[in-house]
Amino acid sequence: MRLYFILSFILLLSADLVMAQQTSQKIVTEMLSAINQVKTLKYKLKKTERIDATFIKGQQDIKFTRSPKRVYTYIYYPNKGVEVLWKEGEHKNEAYVNPNAFPYINVRLNPMGSHMRNNNHHTVNEVGFDYIGSIVNNIASKNAADFANIFKYEGDVKFDERDCYKIVIDYYPFKFIPYTVKAGENLTSIAKNNFVSDYMILKANKNIEDYNDVVAGQQIMIPNAYARKTVLYIDKATYLPISQAMFDDKGLYGQYEYYDVILNSVIPEEEFSSDFSKYGF
């Protein structure tokens, strides 16, 4: 009789594990599908990023269209706001920036350059949900056989008064590995091709001064995944990951929270023009 109860318990436990795996797979699959269906976005972003040993907080208002890819963002700073307008393929892919500070002149800047990358993990290219979607899809694809051990559904949570699924990506194989730079590569292209953070690569290699400071044949260290652990709150209504927290081997690395998300609304062409009456360019 005792053996019967033990076997019954094991079977129930196994059934629960299978159900949890099926649930996490369904949620992640639905999330990736929802991200692919995003055509336009308006939202407020609150972010926290670890820069060196300090956590930097920021807030932005963002408008985004996927095709053609266009971004307008208003970045909040004390007593002022910086505006950025970027259209892929136009003006040599440079962003138009209203610094709202002395000498009060609008400038065009390289989104990948040091001025715009200062104290930021990401560039204007990574706004929206496509970036996190590509990272999650890469981990799921590479670890399909180990999905149940890496992707875990940890119940339902509330975020900004919205019902969400909590998915934890526990990437236990996380480590830094050697990488040999190929011709024409820089840290950003290496990171993009490997679905990792170029800022993390920069900080892991003390002999590298900036994102372009590498040459073919040089050996560097890169992470084998974007994060050691990722915690996603996925909106039940839209299946979009409206809260994202990433941890590396040192702790919290970056946190991104999306508020007032307006999905797939028509955004007039004029709202991606510096002449739009509500902008300060």
Side-chain angles (χ1 to χ4, degrees), residues 1-10:
M1 182 65 71
R2 183 177 180 182
L3 180 60
Y4 170 79
F5 282 120
I6 293 174
L7 290 175
S8 297
F9 175 76
I10 291 173

Side-chain angles (χ1 to χ4, degrees), residues 82-97:
V82 173
E83 292 179 292
V84 177
L85 186 62
W86 179 74
K87 302 179 185 181
E88 187 175 38
E90 294 189 15
H91 302 289
K92 300 179 180 179
N93 269 331
E94 291 183 329
Y96 196 44
V97 181

Side-chain angles (χ1 to χ4, degrees), residues 198-238:
D198 55 355
Y199 180 82
M200 192 180 291
I201 299 175
L202 180 65
K203 293 304 175 180
N205 295 271
K206 302 303 181 185
N207 60 321
I208 299 176
E209 294 184 0
D210 62 45
Y211 296 96
N212 296 305
D213 185 28
V214 289
V215 296
Q218 181 177 349
Q219 190 169 86
I220 62 175
M221 300 299 291
I222 70 170
N224 64 347
Y226 186 90
R228 168 62 180 83
K229 182 174 76 171
T230 301
V231 180
L232 303 176
Y233 289 179
I234 300 170
D235 188 346
K236 286 187 175 184
T238 65

Side-chain angles (χ1 to χ4, degrees), residues 144-177:
D146 203 22
F147 189 95
N149 291 322
I150 294 173
F151 289 82
K152 297 179 174 66
Y153 165 59
E154 295 196 352
D156 297 348
V157 292
K158 283 275 192 181
F159 174 78
D160 192 31
E161 302 300 321
R162 301 187 71 84
D163 293 321
C164 299
Y165 302 108
K166 181 181 180 182
I167 292 289
V168 175
I169 305 172
D170 182 17
Y171 195 69
Y172 62 88
F174 181 86
K175 62 181 178 179
F176 285 83
I177 59 176

